[in-house]
Amino acid sequence: PAAADALAAAARSAGATIGILVELDVGMRRTGVQTPGAALALAGHVAAQPGLRLDGVMFFPGHVWEKPDEQGAPLRAVDALLGETLALWRKGGLEAPIVSGGSTPTAFQSHLVTCQTEIRPGTYVYNDMNCVTGGYGVTLDDCAARVVCTVVSDAVPGQVVVDAGTKTLTSDRCHPAPDSGHGHVVGLPGARVARLSEEHGMVDVTRCDRTPRVGERLRIVPNHICPCVNLQDRVYWNEAGDVRPLPVDARGKVV
Amino acid sequence: PAAADALAAAARSAGATIGILVELDVGMRRTGVQTPGAALALAGHVAAQPGLRLDGVMFFPGHVWEKPDEQGAPLRAVDALLGETLALWRKGGLEAPIVSGGSTPTAFQSHLVTCQTEIRPGTYVYNDMNCVTGGYGVTLDDCAARVVCTVVSDAVPGQVVVDAGTKTLTSDRCHPAPDSGHGHVVGLPGARVARLSEEHGMVDVTRCDRTPRVGERLRIVPNHICPCVNLQDRVYWNEAGDVRPLPVDARGKVV
């Protein structure tokens, strides 16, 4: 309610109206009101504020990491919670034209949350190794982004070092594999990005049939593409061979 | 040798001379020639190349994470390896006016590597929780950088959420504590940055004597300041109350 009041005051002073979605926590335990009753109370508060317009409900089923064929139970629980919330609202004379949810792991099971009107899968834009190893209906061929890096050292036997470390790939591990390395080297079977320091990636090539040369370019599909793109000033967009740089507009916009 | 040849050719075509340090791997198993003999061979190759000037040796004892009073043995091993290398060079008529090494964990024990002429401790500029929990002669008061973030939710009992996640703090864990959380909240005893998603930090406040309000600013000393600074477009420098923004020049310069 405090945030709603602040938004309402700002809207009124600007002579504007701000559309509001009430966030309901469906299991992520992060943000959002904790019960359908609390959602109703907040929705009523919003609807009564000049300057605000109650548009509906948002939620994020980011706690659902099961494989698609095991998502039925958790997603039906989400659906039930939303259904209960919307029933309360209707009983209270409130409407929710927007019910916004969805995540990348649950994207292909979105139909199980029957009342949602939009999904917001983020990783889905590029996909990444988390999507592949999670088995969310995604293969390596569906991963659109690669980190192109250069072999800078082959000093240690059985290893090459590339100029991509945590400042490029992030230190995010891959779910659900416990020892998944730090990305998948495309076209070099057996290679494993075993260890990262900030500017360096140590690639174990003991199980490869060749050792890449110093100067050779390697292409890595990262574990988690979201913070990885955030580390770049630009990405290179390849559309049918037409390659052009695209600035990452939101990069560095963390404060 | 291939890299030296490429540098030499570039130097000659520019009519310049490039000073070269031969990197010796002293235990990090990342880059650098693997033996004193290999260092001698590379040094001889460099010294013979027009356009290059042999300036000495570089090394990085980044594998030494012991507490300072346990660093004697590993650093004496580093010293012995360097001593053997320099003796070989002298015997071969080569000199090493620069012997460049050092790291933040070993900074206060630099005297144990008797032949080094400079140290390159990086984290040392700011210090961070790794330095504090590692016991490298650093206290919280010696940590110069704080991530200033805002409480954006207190929806979940016993928890507040701040607007600093892995895109601000990185997902780096803290060495050597196995369950160290993601940074230290200054001035809020008992608080624990328990979990991060990209834009959110979940702070467990069940052991605090108060729950911070929504809108309140918290100050976090990160686990690993190096990639954390790399995520910012600018930092704010506070010198005796005179606060001014400083651009992070190298940010995004990963390719």
Side-chain angles (χ1 to χ4, degrees), chain B residues 37 83 107 118 122 162 170 176 183 192 206 212 226 231 235 238 242 251 253:
Chain B
E118 68 178 20
V162 295
T170 80
R192 192 167 162 279
T206 50
C226 311
L231 283 162
V235 296
N238 182 347
D242 175 27
R251 171 147 172 30
K253 306 297 179 293

Side-chain angles (χ1 to χ4, degrees), chain B residues 137-222:
Chain B
V138 169
T139 69
L140 265 176
D141 284 344
D142 299 317
C143 294
R146 275 124 180 76
V147 169
V148 180
C149 52
T150 304
V151 175
V152 295
S153 173
D154 59 2
V156 176
Q159 173 183 281
V160 296
V161 178
V162 295
D163 60 349
T166 62
K167 283 180 176 171
T168 303
L169 293 164
T170 80
S171 50
D172 286 17
R173 308 299 303 199
C174 192
H175 179 92
D179 185 29
S180 58
H182 297 277
H184 174 83
V185 183
V186 177
L188 191 64
R192 192 167 162 279
V193 187
R195 191 162 60 99
L196 299 180
S197 47
E198 283 143 70
E199 289 84 12
H200 287 116
M202 276 56 79
V203 184
D204 181 339
V205 295
T206 50
R207 281 169 300 184
C208 300
D209 58 10
R210 69 181 189 88
T211 298
R213 305 180 320 280
V214 170
E216 186 172 335
R217 296 280 169 86
L218 297 184
R219 284 163 175 74
I220 297 178
V221 178

